[in-house]
Amino acid sequence: MNSCYKKDEWLIIEEGFHPELNRESESIFSIGNGYMGQRANFEEHYSGDSLQGSYIAGVYYPDKTRVGWWKNGYPEYFAKVLNAPNWIGIDVSVNGKTVDLATARIISFSRILNMREGYLERSFRILIAENKTIEINSRRFLSMAEPDLGIIKYSVKSANFAGTIDFTVYIDADVRNEDANYGKKFWKEVRREVTTGTGIIITRTMKTDFHVATGMCYELHGNKKPLHVKPSVTDREKFVANTFSVKTKPGDELTIVKYVSVLSSLNNPKDVLMTDVKKRLKDASSKGYAKLFSEHKSEWGEIWDASDVVIEGDIAAQQAIRFNIFQLNQTYTGKDERLNIGPKGFTGEKYGGSTYWDTEAFALPFFLKTADQKVARNLLLYRYKHLGESIKNAEKLGFKNGAALYPMVTMNGEECHNEWEITFEEIHRNGAIAYAIYNYNRHTGDNGYMADYGLEVLIGISRFWSQRATWSEEKKKYMILGVTGPNEYENNVNNNWYTNTMAVWTLSYTISNLLLVSKETPGKYEKIIRKTDFDFTEETGYWQKVIDKMHMPYDDKRKVFLQQDGFLDKELLPAEKIPPEERPINQHWSWDRILRSCYIKQADVLHGLYVLEDKYDIKTVKRNFDFYEPMTVHESSLSACIHSIVASRIGNIRKAYELYLRTARLDLDDYNNEVGDGLHITSMAGTWLAIVEGFGGMRILDSKVRVNPLIPEKWTSYSFQARFRSVRFEVKVTHTGVIIKNKSDRTLKMIVFDKEYQIHGSEEKQIEL
């Protein structure tokens, strides 16, 4: 476990340079704005180990699948968000010696991520020669106000000597992905242009033909006054630069402000990209660093006002939750329904930056409670627009009549994951998408979504479930065979309880909404029936048989739901029996050994008890938690958060707190030794839910908000911001009571400890525990 970052409420601080942890720090200190992102690579040359990473949302490459053998139905490619042209480059040399932290004699080094204001700052002092010291400070941000802009303020100060400092300000489009299946580079140059003070490269992706214009301009200051130089120009394929020299004396400080605009053909016509990027650079430089930063900071202020969590008495927990909220809002803003949330966001290449079920199961509830409803609506529209491709995905596997299997991994609706046990077996993702529609509807009251979009999706998913179920003549039950549940440490099992439960729930939910839409909007209902060629009597009649006769594995002795058929045939041992030197087991055990073990990667049965908790009493939940949690190794980033929420529900506050810290500091403390690959963005939403739905006990019940809060012993108090429909509110919990503050002008109906209150606009109500 890595704990090299100092504890602070609003900052992530690294003091001292740790080259052996540089990739980890590049992930931790990543910045983004929903439109693009950047790992914390150094601006100046660095010859040490590094994962270069600049990413543009929605721009991807279909890298040909690489497998040992081919199976029918296999996707032809794995989609990857590409490492895009490197825009941050500012090389520096002093008296002819290149500044390179891999070889330099470092006197001091610090790196700070300011989460309140959304910027990355780095400062270091190095010896250039005996008794000759320079100080470098850089600050950069990706504008939340003007998302195509990235701005760097880079200062070099001669502490105690006279000499010459050379700068090369550049854009480099000759980049590659480390995870390229066949070692290919994915970018071709279209056009470039470089002049004194500016440089622009337009590139295009192979196959998908996305065009991206990356342009820069800069200004130079000497001792805070404008300084004019005559640079030399470098103009070669995929690379443009300006190089200039400045003579300095002791105490002189040189500052470059580099303005960068990144435009893509997702939003700008290809034939005007050059013109558009020039205009954006002119506008940015005219506005200037101070105003651009002020507008950016203002946007972050509004984000924090809507989503902040304040914890008193536990600085590690406070820092962690803000880090999670910060990264979530850097990754997705909800402004573009064509975009979604990759498990690593803009922080690394792993998982290809594609969309997984994580979005619906974890991220959507966070945005439902912290952002305008259009943000969550756009996440659902993303799936609606992929319904046609999902039907094609199911057809490839032999399903018919409009059955839809949403992809496990996708960019455009087409399945692009190439692991058999996930691509073909982890079908529970269909249930997560159906549940997301329900979750959205109960939070927002946007009933029009169901008639306009949601019902079509539910019909396609329900057709899949009904065809995927198999009738067992021996057991006189329907079975769902050959699946992988959320616990990916078991493959090709029969009757995973969570999968079967979500199938039945989806079929029931679809039937109820068919009836509702036919009653409330008969015209739209008829249109859906024609479009989907739906036979209500025949199809829902069969669905009801599946609902009534679905096999649900259960252990009568322990009175727990069985994860799947045959689970009790395993040797049931608690995870604490695993020697510490063999953890995590996915990095030490063979896959064969893992599959035969009882050990659980993440919540499986318990995930079902979390999402459908109204169906199960506390005693049932507790029995299942006490049975499964001890066997759970929490080696999925999505594990600890769900277990923490369930632990809170059964009143096990100590366990809930232990698991909360694990999920909250998963990346900051690198629990699973994998942060160098990127952060766990989607699980960060689960961290927020562990506070709001776990400790806070917030639920939506009959169009009212319910809170049933607990508070960890170590905390003095905690508060969270949330919204329900058009009402924004704050809940503060102490050891003596709850304070509800209505931050809107509409009345909020809230149930606190099973008693209903009406809290009027701008009213604050105190409720004793």
Side-chain angles (χ1 to χ4, degrees):
M1 190 171 75
N2 167 35
S3 299
C4 73
Y5 309 115
K6 290 183 65 176
K7 307 294 191 301
D8 186 278
E9 290 185 355
W10 281 105
L11 308 175
I12 308 298
I13 304 169
E14 178 186 18
E15 290 188 341
F17 184 47
H18 307 279
E20 73 282 4
L21 297 174
N22 188 50
R23 286 196 179 216
E24 286 80 356
S25 291
E26 287 177 340
S27 298
I28 294 290
F29 291 88
S30 295
I31 58 173
N33 61 10
Y35 175 85
M36 58 181 172
Q38 173 65 51
R39 281 174 63 85
N41 310 118
F42 301 152
E43 288 89 356
E44 70 280 351
H45 174 76
Y46 181 66
S47 61
D49 184 47
S50 173
L51 175 60
Q52 169 65 39
S54 300
Y55 309 101
I56 305 165
V59 175
Y60 69 95
Y61 177 83
D63 203 10
K64 183 174 172 57
T65 297
R66 189 167 191 168
V67 292
W69 62 92
W70 200 266
K71 295 182 174 69
N72 287 336
Y74 245 15
E76 295 183 359
Y77 66 88
F78 188 91
K80 292 171 179 174
V81 169
L82 303 183
N83 180 20
N86 176 14
W87 60 272
I88 65 172
I90 303 175
D91 283 350
V92 183
S93 63
V94 181
N95 292 342
K97 185 174 182 179
T98 299
V99 173
D100 180 356
L101 286 175
T103 59
R105 296 168 63 186
I106 300 173
I107 300 170
S108 64
F109 176 95
S110 72
R111 187 162 21 189
I112 297 172
L113 185 66
N114 187 310
M115 299 180 289
R116 187 197 291 268
E117 298 181 355
Y119 66 83
L120 169 62
E121 189 164 61
R122 184 169 54 100
S123 302
F124 59 91
R125 297 177 69 223
I126 59 175
L127 282 172
I128 291 299
E130 201 64 37
N131 298 321
K132 293 183 177 181
T133 304
I134 65 164
E135 300 173 5
I136 292 182
N137 179 274
S138 70
R139 178 185 287 193
R140 70 174 176 243
F141 64 94
L142 287 170
S143 175
M144 294 295 284
E146 300 188 48
D148 66 296
L149 296 182
I151 298 96
I152 302 171
K153 190 175 186 179
Y154 193 94
S155 299
V156 182
K157 185 175 183 179
S158 169
N160 54 10
F161 69 94
T164 301
I165 300 180
D166 299 314
F167 294 95
T168 298
V169 185
Y170 67 88
I171 294 171
D172 182 7
D174 191 21
V175 295
R176 66 172 66 245
N177 273 52
E178 280 195 1
D179 66 350
N181 285 340
Y182 297 92
K184 289 182 178 180
K185 292 182 179 179
F186 301 139
W187 294 96
K188 294 283 189 181
E189 183 183 286
V190 175
R191 183 180 172 188
R192 68 180 185 274
E193 186 176 297
V194 58
T195 63
T196 297
T198 66
I200 300 167
I201 302 179
I202 299 177
T203 50
R204 65 173 179 85
T205 59
M206 297 166 61
K207 294 186 180 179
T208 44
D209 199 39
F210 293 106
H211 286 219
V212 171
T214 308
M216 69 170 187
C217 64
Y218 61 91
E219 56 195 36
L220 177 65
H221 299 266
N223 299 323
K224 300 184 179 179
K225 295 180 180 179
L227 194 61
H228 301 286
V229 293
K230 284 192 174 183
S232 62
V233 168
T234 302
D235 182 9
R236 68 171 185 264
E237 186 178 6
K238 295 185 179 180
F239 188 89
V240 293
N242 276 201
T243 299
F244 50 88
S245 300
V246 182
K247 293 190 178 301
T248 62
K249 58 184 183 297
D252 281 351
E253 183 177 45
L254 302 172
T255 300
I256 294 172
V257 178
K258 183 178 182 181
Y259 303 96
V260 174
S261 174
V262 179
L263 302 179
S264 83
S265 56
L266 275 171
N267 303 297
N268 300 73
K270 295 174 183 177
D271 59 348
V272 295
L273 276 174
M274 182 65 79
T275 302
D276 286 354
V277 80
K278 286 179 180 179
K279 183 179 186 303
R280 294 297 296 131
L281 292 173
K282 183 179 179 181
D283 291 345
S285 59
S286 297
K287 188 173 284 190
Y289 177 88
K291 186 167 179 57
L292 288 169
F293 181 68
S294 176
E295 292 173 348
H296 166 75
K297 186 170 67 171
S298 178
E299 289 285 327
W300 270 111
E302 292 184 15
I303 290 169
W304 286 116
D305 187 52
S307 61
D308 192 20
V309 171
V310 178
I311 299 171
E312 295 181 315
D314 190 344
I315 195 168
Q318 177 67 87
Q319 180 188 48
I321 188 59
R322 282 191 173 135
F323 180 69
N324 285 260
I325 295 168
F326 177 72
Q327 293 294 349
L328 280 161
N329 282 293
Q330 285 200 127
T331 303
Y332 185 76
T333 61
K335 295 175 181 177
D336 189 338
E337 66 194 40
R338 297 169 300 175
L339 304 180
N340 209 277
I341 305 164
K344 295 292 185 185
F346 298 119
T347 69
E349 296 177 5
K350 192 174 182 181
Y351 303 125
S354 302
T355 301
Y356 284 63
W357 76 294
D358 305 25
T359 290
E360 286 75 25
F362 296 87
L364 183 130
F366 166 79
F367 289 108
L368 272 173
K369 292 178 174 68
T370 63
D372 187 273
Q373 74 177 48
K374 67 182 180 183
V375 174
R377 199 174 203 265
N378 277 345
L379 286 173
L380 292 181
L381 284 173
Y382 178 89
R383 293 295 195 179
Y384 173 77
K385 291 186 174 183
H386 290 173
L387 177 59
E389 286 296 332
S390 299
I391 291 171
K392 292 178 183 177
N393 291 335
E395 287 174 348
K396 291 176 184 177
L397 304 183
F399 295 89
K400 301 174 182 178
N401 191 35
L405 175 59
Y406 274 87
M408 189 64 184
V409 179
T410 194
M411 281 292 183
N412 60 2
E414 187 177 15
E415 177 65 74
C416 62
H417 198 282
N418 55 17
E419 292 180 41
W420 175 271
E421 66 275 13
I422 292 176
T423 306
F424 300 104
E425 294 185 351
E426 205 162 334
I427 56 175
H428 65 81
R429 73 251 194 179
N430 255 9
I433 291 166
Y435 187 83
I437 295 171
Y438 162 73
N439 215 3
Y440 171 80
N441 193 58
R442 67 172 175 166
H443 273 81
T444 66
D446 181 9
N447 295 325
Y449 182 84
M450 183 63 69
D452 292 336
Y453 307 105
L455 188 56
E456 280 185 60
V457 173
L458 291 175
I459 289 171
I461 292 174
S462 292
R463 281 171 162 169
F464 172 83
W465 284 130
S466 67
Q467 293 178 39
R468 189 63 169 76
T470 301
W471 176 253
S472 168
E473 190 61 36
E474 180 179 344
K475 290 188 170 63
K476 305 297 182 185
K477 291 282 186 179
Y478 283 98
M479 310 280 180
I480 299 183
L481 308 175
V483 301
T484 296
N487 173 32
E488 293 174 336
Y489 285 177
E490 291 180 308
N491 303 149
N492 200 33
V493 301
N494 294 333
N495 296 305
N496 170 256
W497 181 86
Y498 173 76
T499 302
N500 289 19
T501 297
M502 292 308 294
V504 166
W505 178 87
T506 303
L507 290 167
S508 297
Y509 184 58
T510 306
I511 292 172
S512 66
N513 277 283
L514 282 162
L515 295 171
L516 185 66
V517 173
S518 67
K519 179 181 178 181
E520 294 189 347
T521 54
K524 290 183 177 181
Y525 174 77
E526 290 300 326
K527 183 178 178 182
I528 293 168
I529 295 301
R530 289 193 300 271
K531 183 176 180 181
T532 59
D533 194 22
F534 190 77
D535 186 323
F536 180 89
T537 302
E538 180 178 341
E539 294 196 54
T540 62
Y542 180 65
W543 294 359
Q544 193 61 52
K545 290 180 182 178
V546 175
I547 293 167
D548 295 338
K549 294 289 186 177
M550 181 66 78
H551 172 56
M552 297 292 184
Y554 187 76
D555 177 23
D556 288 314
K557 178 181 176 182
R558 296 174 179 83
K559 298 190 182 307
V560 297
F561 303 113
L562 291 181
Q563 196 162 272
Q564 70 274 332
D565 290 347
F567 185 79
L568 294 180
D569 294 335
K570 294 173 178 282
E571 185 179 14
L572 304 180
L573 298 171
E576 65 184 17
K577 295 289 186 181
I578 304 171
E581 63 272 15
E582 296 181 16
R583 302 283 294 266
I585 61 174
N586 63 20
Q587 296 178 22
H588 294 89
W589 287 15
S590 70
W591 194 241
D592 169 73
R593 185 180 179 187
I594 289 173
L595 292 178
R596 288 185 287 108
S597 79
C598 69
Y599 296 122
I600 300 168
K601 183 181 180 186
Q602 69 192 76
D604 197 304
V605 168
L606 296 181
H607 197 97
L609 297 179
Y610 158 64
V611 296
L612 301 177
E613 67 172 14
D614 291 343
K615 293 166 62 72
Y616 308 101
D617 60 37
I618 294 293
K619 290 182 180 179
T620 299
V621 177
K622 186 177 186 305
R623 284 195 304 270
N624 282 273
F625 184 89
D626 292 345
F627 179 68
Y628 285 109
E629 198 284 328
M631 291 182 282
T632 304
V633 291
H634 299 295
E635 290 176 12
S636 164
S637 64
L638 303 174
S639 181
C641 55
I642 298 299
H643 284 85
S644 179
I645 295 169
V646 177
S648 288
R649 188 186 176 206
I650 63 176
N652 190 342
I653 189 65
R654 292 181 183 273
K655 192 66 178 180
Y657 176 72
E658 170 197 323
L659 291 165
Y660 164 76
L661 271 189
R662 182 184 178 98
T663 186
R665 298 194 65 87
L666 176 71
D667 289 327
L668 287 175
D669 294 339
D670 201 4
Y671 272 92
N672 291 335
N673 193 31
E674 57 186 6
V675 168
D677 294 331
L679 304 178
H680 297 87
I681 301 299
T682 45
S683 79
M684 290 176 171
T687 300
W688 190 87
L689 292 171
I691 290 181
V692 175
E693 293 188 352
F695 301 139
M698 179 180 165
R699 301 292 189 275
I700 305 302
L701 185 66
D702 297 329
S703 298
K704 298 169 189 169
V705 180
R706 185 190 75 192
V707 293
N708 190 21
L710 304 168
I711 182 169
E713 183 179 341
K714 186 175 180 179
W715 295 1
T716 304
S717 71
Y718 67 94
S719 64
F720 60 85
Q721 314 297 317
R723 66 172 69 208
F724 175 62
R725 301 182 183 177
S726 59
V727 180
R728 289 179 55 194
F729 58 92
E730 176 183 285
V731 177
K732 182 173 183 178
V733 182
T734 70
H735 288 278
T736 59
V738 181
I739 302 169
I740 312 295
K741 184 183 295 184
N742 188 337
K743 301 176 75 173
S744 65
D745 57 5
R746 293 186 59 187
T747 298
L748 172 66
K749 292 181 180 180
M750 179 176 283
I751 301 170
V752 184
F753 301 125
D754 299 323
K755 183 177 179 181
E756 184 172 328
Y757 298 87
Q758 285 198 0
I759 305 163
H760 301 293
S762 302
E763 182 184 2
E764 181 175 300
K765 188 173 289 292
Q766 297 191 32
I767 303 163
E768 292 185 1
L769 286 176

